[in-house]
Amino acid sequence: MVLEEVGQPLALRDLPKPKPGHGQLLVRVNTCAVCRTDLHIVDGELPNPKLPLILGHQIVGRVEQINQSVDGFSIGDRIGVPWLGWTDGECTYCRSDRENLCDCAKFTGYTIDGGYAEFTVADARYCFRLPDELFDVDLAAEAGLAEAAVAPLLCAGMLGYRSYWKTGDARRLGIYGFGNAAYLIAQVALYQQKEIFAFTRPGDKAGQDAARSLGAVWAGGSDEMPPERLGAAIIFAPVGALVPAALRALAKGGVVVCGGIHMSDIPSFPYVDLWNERVISSVANLTRRDGEEFLKIAARIPVKTKVKTFPLEQANTALEKFRAGKLDATAVLVT
């Protein structure tokens, strides 16, 4: 399914099977989860995508072919391909364990082709071996396919984990925008015995009830103040106005982590809301270490996902339902 022009529906195309170049694997895609970032790309909110482009960066598949320059993989290995698809390995950021900030980085399903297809090629360095225990547990009883249940871990899980990691040892954690990423990361936080305060759209009683049933100690609208000051807050909703709201809910020294790749403009707010060493931080991409740590803890908990599967050729339907807020689970394309 190919994005040929920004703002237009994806087109179903027959393309030659890609060939793995130096350092690459050819991957037979089993499933690819749909992400809000895919919508940002289609809608032109992220600049300069590769065009034509095959979207998709939450890929679960099996190794079909291995370039002779690659060691450590075997035909048939089950792997995951994430958002961060390539870095130069040589810049200041790469050499200081901050490869997520590499100036030359390439991103799966954005600047290189991704997983809305039957096959894709990927840099072997950035492919994750998926532990068998992820597929041995009941991650999503209704998925009907273990690979569909695991796919959301490759972005909503991994980038969510990086956002969570930035909150440090805060015991009271606010989460604004209780969607797919929040659902996954809340499970990690609860496993680590932290208190979750969930913020949804005002009036979203169903979302608030879902957060409480998961284990949140409090759930309310994003226009409300929590009953206690928060040690940290993560904002997953791409709404800049939530930043001042989250700052007002923080205790002294707390941090607001903006967990999305795109956000609407942040309105002005009085300095007193930031004072007392409160911090605003963004999260950019992920490192391989983030992914490896998350996969280990996800298997141990185990983290459960909520998914709804669509055939690959129904990618436009999945995107439109996501855009319209008509999904209560992660859309996953099945090839």
Side-chain angles (χ1 to χ4, degrees):
M1 295 296 291
V2 182
L3 177 66
E4 297 179 331
E5 185 178 345
V6 168
Q8 297 299 311
L10 308 185
L12 181 62
R13 296 285 184 258
D14 285 323
L15 302 176
K17 184 188 294 187
K19 296 180 180 180
H22 183 81
Q24 291 184 325
L25 305 171
L26 174 66
V27 182
R28 178 183 287 274
V29 178
N30 294 124
T31 63
C32 184
V34 175
C35 181
R36 184 169 296 279
T37 302
D38 300 338
L39 284 178
H40 292 321
I41 295 168
V42 171
D43 294 342
E45 293 171 331
L46 293 182
N48 305 318
K50 169 192 174 295
L51 290 177
L53 172 69
I54 301 172
L55 291 168
H57 57 273
Q58 301 184 87
I59 303 166
V60 175
R62 291 189 182 270
V63 176
E64 179 92 356
Q65 186 179 340
I66 304 171
N67 185 277
Q68 60 184 10
S69 61
V70 175
D71 294 319
F73 287 91
S74 300
I75 302 297
D77 283 353
R78 188 155 46 184
I79 63 171
V81 183
W83 170 248
L84 185 63
W86 183 90
T87 64
D88 61 23
E90 300 175 353
C91 68
T92 298
Y93 299 112
C94 287
R95 288 187 283 106
S96 57
D97 296 325
R98 295 178 293 166
E99 63 189 15
N100 59 308
L101 302 179
C102 176
D103 287 329
C104 299
K106 297 178 183 178
F107 303 103
T108 311
Y110 179 32
T111 54
I112 52 180
D113 284 330
Y116 285 23
E118 293 177 316
F119 295 92
T120 192
V121 291
D123 189 317
R125 299 175 300 161
Y126 292 89
C127 294
F128 291 102
R129 291 176 178 81
L130 298 178
D132 288 342
E133 52 264 36
L134 280 176
F135 300 89
D136 292 339
V137 298
D138 184 17
L139 286 171
E142 289 130 17
L145 183 68
E147 284 83 356
V150 170
L153 303 184
L154 272 297
C155 182
M158 290 182 179
L159 270 76
Y161 180 78
R162 184 168 183 83
S163 301
Y164 174 67
W165 176 77
K166 279 183 167 284
T167 66
D169 59 0
R171 305 308 301 173
R172 295 189 186 122
L173 177 63
I175 301 181
Y176 288 76
F178 216 81
N180 298 327
Y183 178 76
L184 300 180
I185 293 311
Q187 294 176 65
V188 177
L190 291 166
Y191 176 77
Q192 296 182 340
Q193 299 183 321
K194 299 190 177 186
E195 294 183 343
I196 297 295
F197 295 75
F199 297 82
T200 69
R201 289 187 182 92
D204 181 8
K205 185 176 183 304
Q208 293 163 19
D209 288 344
R212 291 190 198 96
S213 67
L214 187 64
V217 298
W218 179 89
S222 59
D223 56 347
E224 299 179 53
M225 286 289 287
E228 300 176 89
R229 291 279 181 174
L230 306 173
I234 303 174
I235 300 176
F236 286 122
V239 181
L242 293 176
V243 173
L247 277 175
R248 290 191 292 272
L250 286 186
K252 297 176 183 179
V255 58
V256 172
V257 180
C258 301
I261 193 172
H262 171 81
M263 179 179 272
S264 60
D265 289 349
I266 300 171
S268 63
F269 54 87
Y271 176 66
V272 67
D273 290 347
L274 182 64
W275 192 56
N276 278 318
E277 300 195 354
R278 296 177 179 91
V279 174
I280 303 171
S281 175
S282 67
V283 166
N285 316 314
L286 78 153
T287 66
R288 285 169 286 184
R289 183 189 64 191
D290 299 325
E292 290 160 359
E293 288 181 1
F294 175 68
L295 288 174
K296 287 178 182 176
I297 195 170
R300 191 160 63 242
I301 294 174
V303 169
K304 295 184 182 297
T305 60
K306 295 189 294 184
V307 302
K308 180 174 176 56
T309 59
F310 295 81
L312 175 63
E313 59 270 21
Q314 291 183 17
N316 287 315
T317 300
L319 287 167
E320 285 306 315
K321 285 182 177 291
F322 190 6
R323 179 184 280 109
K326 295 181 178 179
L327 293 173
D328 60 359
T330 301
V332 178
L333 304 180
V334 179
T335 60

